[in-house]
Amino acid sequence: MNNYADHSDAELVQRMRAGDHAAFTEIYRRYWKRLYALAYHRLHNREQAEDVVQDVLTGLWQRREADLVRSLGAYLATAARYAVFTHLSRRQPLAGMDTVPEAMQATKDETAQLRFLQQSMEEELQLLPEKCRLVFNYSRQEGLSNKEIARHLDISEKSVEKHITKALQRLRLQFRNYLHGFF
């Protein structure tokens, strides 16, 4: 029997692309609560948040054969934010209301901030030493475990941990003021 809980996100995505229902079920189990919390935080409505999560995960399964997912967690979080935005935009405006609802404006602002932050982070990551950058990308972009990275690069797991720590420290240092204001 295959224990999908032990698989990395990247492995689950690969299996899901091949039509493996059990891999999708593990993704669902792994991410449902996080996506629900994200949606509920914006919508403040349990049923609407559940609908958003269901839409996101259903969409993931329906588009499983497309090569869209690089980092499963980031992909699902972005899809959930977009689904919340779409949900909010479908709400009927109040009579005489000509402006965009405040909740939608915040979402647009956050989207612009996230794009800027992502671009800045990518630029900052390019300044890391090659092996450090490679380890960080395997960890955060590909979703590989430390053990998988160590095996793939033929280095110790401790080295993997040190490289990830170094990259995260650098990012925290460079973005400490921006992230404090953002959150």
Side-chain angles (χ1 to χ4, degrees), residues 143-159:
L144 298 179
S145 69
N146 289 0
K147 187 176 186 177
E148 292 168 322
I149 297 168
R151 190 174 54 236
H152 186 69
L153 296 177
D154 197 28
I155 59 176
S156 71
E157 284 186 60
K158 276 286 191 209
S159 293

Side-chain angles (χ1 to χ4, degrees), residues 27-75:
I27 291 169
Y28 189 97
R29 185 201 62 75
R30 198 175 283 184
Y31 283 96
W32 192 91
K33 285 182 184 178
R34 290 184 233 182
L35 296 174
Y36 174 80
L38 190 151
Y40 184 82
H41 177 72
R42 299 276 185 229
L43 297 170
H44 304 289
N45 181 292
R46 194 186 73 155
E47 292 82 16
Q48 292 174 359
E50 289 173 355
D51 288 345
V52 163
V53 174
Q54 188 66 30
D55 289 347
V56 167
L57 291 170
T58 301
L60 177 67
W61 177 256
Q62 290 171 342
R63 291 184 293 283
R64 69 187 174 277
E65 293 174 1
D67 190 20
L68 301 172
V69 180
R70 298 283 176 250
S71 173
L72 183 60
Y75 175 85

Side-chain angles (χ1 to χ4, degrees), residues 83-146:
V84 167
F85 175 76
T86 301
H87 179 81
L88 289 172
S89 68
R90 278 189 242 158
R91 285 185 180 168
Q92 293 297 321
L94 299 173
M97 187 171 144
D98 294 328
T99 60
V100 176
E102 190 174 322
M104 287 175 59
Q105 290 174 353
T107 303
K108 287 179 183 179
D109 290 345
E110 287 174 0
T111 301
Q113 289 177 339
L114 285 172
R115 281 191 193 129
F116 173 77
L117 179 61
Q118 184 177 8
Q119 181 182 1
S120 299
M121 284 178 62
E122 288 172 9
E123 291 170 2
E124 191 61 36
L125 288 172
Q126 291 303 314
L127 299 175
L128 290 170
E130 183 179 350
K131 188 161 277 193
C132 184
R133 183 176 62 246
L134 186 61
V135 167
F136 189 80
N137 283 335
Y138 278 141
S139 174
R140 296 309 193 259
Q141 300 295 328
E142 301 295 325
L144 298 179
S145 69
N146 289 0

